[in-house]
Amino acid sequence: MSAATSFTLQVNGRTQSVTVAPETPLLYALRNDLGLVAAKYGCGAEQCGACAVLVNGDKAFSCTLTVAEAAGKAITTLEGLGTPEAPHPLQKAFEAEQAVQCGYCTSGIIVAAKALLDANPDPDLPAIRLALQDHLCRCGTHSRVFRAIRRAAREMKTGEMRP
Ligand code: FES
Ligand code: FES
């Protein structure tokens, strides 16, 4: 490990400092230094999607993205999408469709769905499958997840569930 260095991270619209080795995975800084624990450690090798966050609007695997690489970029975690009082339409739709079982994969999937809907507000099922192809759910929630994303897309289109 290299010597600890101070980095400035823009997370969920806030500027935060962490002092870590440059090669520290962003996931560790989010969870251990900033207390943002929605993103999870699954595989550590870009194979499961549990750690996904948005970086400058694009999905990124925070298990392999280093703090040095993430510094200065706009990072969004699940905590930045909505609050219990004002959830994001995706969060509402996942609840409405009961698309969560243990929840370990859910943060990464919702973040990936956010990136998808930002790029394509009306995705069909193949587009949703493609966007989630590197997200594993061992609880088997996939069909409910697909329904929830379609539901959020519909409701964001009509504006009914906008936070
Ligand atoms: S923990 Fe990052 S992709 Fe699995
Ligand atoms: S809800 Fe348990 S791994 Fe997806």
Side-chain angles (χ1 to χ4, degrees):
M1 266 293 174
S2 311
T5 307
S6 180
F7 291 94
T8 300
L9 297 177
Q10 309 287 339
V11 185
N12 299 333
R14 292 181 58 200
T15 301
Q16 312 231 50
S17 292
V18 295
T19 302
V20 296
E23 63 269 33
T24 301
L26 175 63
L27 179 65
Y28 295 3
L30 292 173
R31 294 181 57 86
N32 300 338
D33 296 274
L34 302 180
L36 297 168
V37 296
K40 302 288 189 288
Y41 182 92
C43 64
E46 302 189 3
Q47 297 293 311
C48 76
C51 67
V53 299
L54 299 180
V55 176
N56 287 347
D58 295 324
K59 186 180 81 176
F61 295 115
S62 66
C63 66
T64 53
L65 186 73
T66 68
V67 168
E69 290 167 333
K73 296 174 181 159
I75 300 159
T76 305
T77 68
L78 183 74
E79 290 95 335
L81 294 193
T83 64
E85 298 73 33
H88 186 277
L90 277 163
Q91 292 167 315
K92 283 188 178 183
F94 270 63
E95 184 177 0
E97 294 290 348
Q98 298 186 27
V100 179
Q101 185 70 19
C102 79
Y104 206 84
C105 67
T106 308
S107 170
I109 287 178
I110 291 180
V111 163
K114 168 79 165 59
L116 170 65
L117 294 184
D118 286 347
N120 176 3
D122 190 21
D124 57 15
L125 188 55
I128 295 172
R129 285 181 187 276
L130 185 65
L132 298 184
Q133 66 180 354
D134 44 15
H135 289 262
L136 304 182
C137 173
R138 67 182 182 182
C139 297
T141 62
H142 305 86
S143 58
R144 289 176 181 228
V145 163
F146 298 156
R147 281 207 301 273
I149 294 171
R150 290 289 301 142
R151 181 185 187 116
R154 278 196 310 275
E155 293 175 354
M156 288 170 76
K157 210 169 167 183
T158 62
E160 286 170 15
M161 289 176 64
R162 280 192 184 283

